[in-house]
Amino acid sequence: MSDKTKFGFQTKCIHTGNAIDKETGAIRRPLTMANSYRLPEDASTMNWSDPNQLVYTRNTSANQMYLQEKLAALEGGEDCVVLASGVSALAGVFFTFLEKDAHIICSNVSYIAVYRLLKEYFPDKYGVETSLVDTANLQEIKAALRPNTKIIHIETPGNPTTRVSDIAEIAKLAHSVGALLTVDSTFASPFLQHPLVLGADLVIHSLTKYINGHGDAMGGAVIGQRELIDKIKGQAMVNLGGVISPFNAWLIMRGVVTLPLRMKQHSESALEIAQFLESHPAVEFVAYPGLTSHPQHEIAKKQMTMFSGVMAFGLKADVDTHNKFVNSLELIVPAVSIGHDESLIVYVGPNDERNHFYPDEFKNGHLRFSVGLEAAEDIINDLKQAFKKCRL
Ligand SMILES: *Cc1c(COP(=O)(O)O)cnc(C)c1O
């Protein structure tokens, strides 16, 4: 097809990375489940670890390459590396760009594996220094900057508090000391927010969530300049081995096709449901970036087009009642993960190891709620009957 770069986002979701299969004429590129590819006639000068050549599936696979092409286009980045999970993408970034005695600034509320990697494993094993700060507060970031700061890592909106951090302003702070700004944009997906355009150096996604969108495959991706992505490919993919299965890459490629439609519906339903919850007398708080009551609503409006489908809320009730509420739900499924077609809810009790970092209203535990694609009315009715069963 002609120049695909000029197409709109929705068109890229469908067409970028796809082509007519040369052998069969199929209008979808096939799923290629093979561990190895035919070598050139003279392999004597070959780089056996080239992550951009089809040699061995740990170096990359055909389906992985198609997905990388699509995701790079959707984020407006030069290149992309797809890995086995969101965590392997995050760990890959830290492994590649943090050296002995380097310093990293990270949000004090971020995905649990990031918290453990940066608070415990990297400091204990490699002498990396980590400052955990409230990244919604630019002064806190500024005060934590050091000459050896290599990365500022933010997650926006953040899991599970939905904290929003100002990507453009933090990019300036990072670049003032020559550090990279890495942004976990999983909650937003490439449809609602473009961190690279705002000055970030690397965008990270758990493909497991909105990008695949159907709750049936895991994957992770990092997008940015080719030079940075090639380093991650070499160090964290070929040599750590967290490569994605071609089948999962194929499934995720199919999931992305409907990303714009899904994100619009998730965002519309979530706003309606967040407003319903906020008006309910038994609800202690609702944290959702689309609500005017959200502490960073203005920043969210500046850098996101809609506010996605995840919120956190709490009830004016004890731990047992929170559990009873979750178990009274008939449509919304009690399960971890976010961004699936079905609505998912988890009650995270007050024993969570990061509880002391959460805002005050989270202290009695919180419900993390990923609003699915069911009719919003059915979701609200399910919440209503659960409130009734709990006498709330
Ligand atoms: C789920 C999630 C991850 C981890 O992704 P996996 O695919 O489960 O490894 C990272 N960041 C955020 C914000 C997430 O929600």
Side-chain angles (χ1 to χ4, degrees):
M1 195 182 287
S2 53
D3 181 15
K4 289 182 183 178
T5 57
K6 69 182 188 320
F7 287 125
F9 189 91
Q10 277 171 270
T11 310
K12 286 179 186 163
C13 282
I14 297 165
H15 289 282
T16 308
N18 193 30
I20 306 287
D21 180 41
K22 287 201 183 75
E23 192 172 330
T24 64
I27 64 168
R28 299 279 167 103
R29 276 173 160 170
L31 164 61
T32 303
M33 296 295 283
N35 291 351
S36 307
Y37 292 78
R38 173 73 161 84
L39 292 170
E41 277 181 25
D42 179 4
S44 61
T45 58
M46 226 179 85
N47 171 7
W48 299 101
S49 298
D50 186 346
N52 296 307
Q53 212 181 322
L54 293 167
V55 178
Y56 185 53
T57 290
R58 185 163 34 73
N59 293 26
T60 194
S61 66
N63 294 96
Q64 180 184 328
M65 289 175 101
Y66 309 150
L67 181 57
Q68 286 172 176
E69 186 188 342
K70 195 189 280 290
L71 296 175
L74 296 184
E75 279 293 3
E78 220 172 27
D79 206 354
C80 167
V81 54
V82 162
L83 289 147
S85 66
V87 165
S88 71
L90 288 155
V93 167
F94 302 141
F95 181 78
T96 304
F97 298 106
L98 292 175
E99 69 254 356
K100 194 171 166 293
D101 301 324
H103 175 242
I104 178 165
I105 299 172
C106 177
S107 171
N108 55 17
V109 179
S110 56
Y111 193 71
I112 186 76
V114 169
Y115 178 74
R116 295 205 186 107
L117 284 167
L118 296 180
K119 181 159 179 287
E120 204 177 315
Y121 304 153
F122 275 83
D124 292 356
K125 290 175 194 287
Y126 311 115
V128 165
E129 296 175 302
T130 303
S131 300
L132 297 175
V133 305
D134 175 357
T135 52
N137 182 335
L138 296 174
Q139 293 314 317
E140 277 196 32
I141 299 178
K142 214 174 208 170
L145 285 172
R146 299 186 199 166
N148 63 335
T149 306
K150 296 291 178 204
I151 297 178
I152 301 180
H153 179 72
I154 60 173
E155 195 176 290
T156 185
N159 190 353
T161 61
T162 76
R163 171 190 287 165
V164 173
S165 302
D166 190 324
I167 299 169
E169 289 302 318
I170 299 172
K172 285 184 210 154
L173 291 177
H175 299 154
S176 74
V177 294
L180 298 174
L181 173 62
T182 61
V183 178
D184 183 336
S185 194
T186 298
F187 271 35
S189 90
F191 184 63
L192 301 180
Q193 168 174 288
H194 288 112
L196 296 178
V197 175
L198 297 169
D201 299 285
L202 293 169
V203 185
I204 301 141
H205 285 286
S206 166
L207 306 177
T208 315
K209 314 294 173 50
Y210 287 111
I211 292 181
N212 179 52
H214 294 74
D216 53 10
M218 300 198 97
V222 191
I223 301 124
Q225 279 177 11
R226 182 152 298 132
E227 189 195 339
L228 300 176
I229 298 298
D230 265 344
K231 279 192 186 151
I232 303 170
K233 285 178 177 172
Q235 292 193 31
M237 182 174 70
V238 180
N239 291 299
L240 283 183
V243 77
I244 193 166
S245 149
F247 182 47
N248 284 359
W250 181 88
L251 279 171
I252 295 165
M253 189 85 175
R254 190 171 73 150
V256 187
V257 166
T258 53
L259 182 71
L261 293 167
R262 290 187 285 105
M263 292 316 293
K264 274 184 210 157
Q265 187 62 58
H266 282 297
S267 299
E268 277 175 23
S269 297
L271 183 59
E272 186 183 337
I273 291 163
Q275 284 163 346
F276 160 74
L277 286 170
E278 198 170 44
S279 69
H280 195 285
V283 171
E284 174 75 21
F285 76 95
V286 185
Y288 178 66
L291 292 175
T292 51
S293 60
H294 189 280
Q296 295 95 34
H297 177 63
E298 290 305 318
I299 301 168
K301 270 206 306 200
K302 190 179 74 169
Q303 65 190 23
M304 301 177 77
T305 49
M306 294 173 97
F307 307 102
S308 194
V310 190
M311 65 190 71
F313 67 102
L315 306 175
K316 292 175 186 159
D318 58 12
V319 170
D320 287 348
T321 309
H322 276 88
N323 279 322
K324 186 168 179 209
F325 181 78
V326 167
N327 292 311
S328 303
L329 293 164
E330 291 171 359
L331 177 66
I332 302 162
V333 185
V336 295
S337 199
I338 59 141
H340 293 196
D341 41 12
E342 73 273 66
S343 293
L344 300 171
I345 198 161
V346 196
Y347 175 53
V348 180
N351 293 335
D352 186 73
E353 66 190 276
R354 296 165 300 165
N355 211 43
H356 61 288
F357 283 126
Y358 294 153
D360 284 343
E361 61 273 21
F362 280 71
K363 294 286 187 258
N364 285 329
H366 65 275
L367 296 147
R368 190 192 62 194
F369 183 19
S370 172
V371 173
L373 298 172
E374 304 94 340
E377 191 187 353
D378 292 336
I379 299 173
I380 291 177
N381 283 338
D382 195 30
L383 294 165
K384 279 184 182 164
Q385 66 80 26
F387 279 125
K388 213 173 256 170
K389 271 191 203 144
C390 297
R391 299 177 191 287
L392 290 168

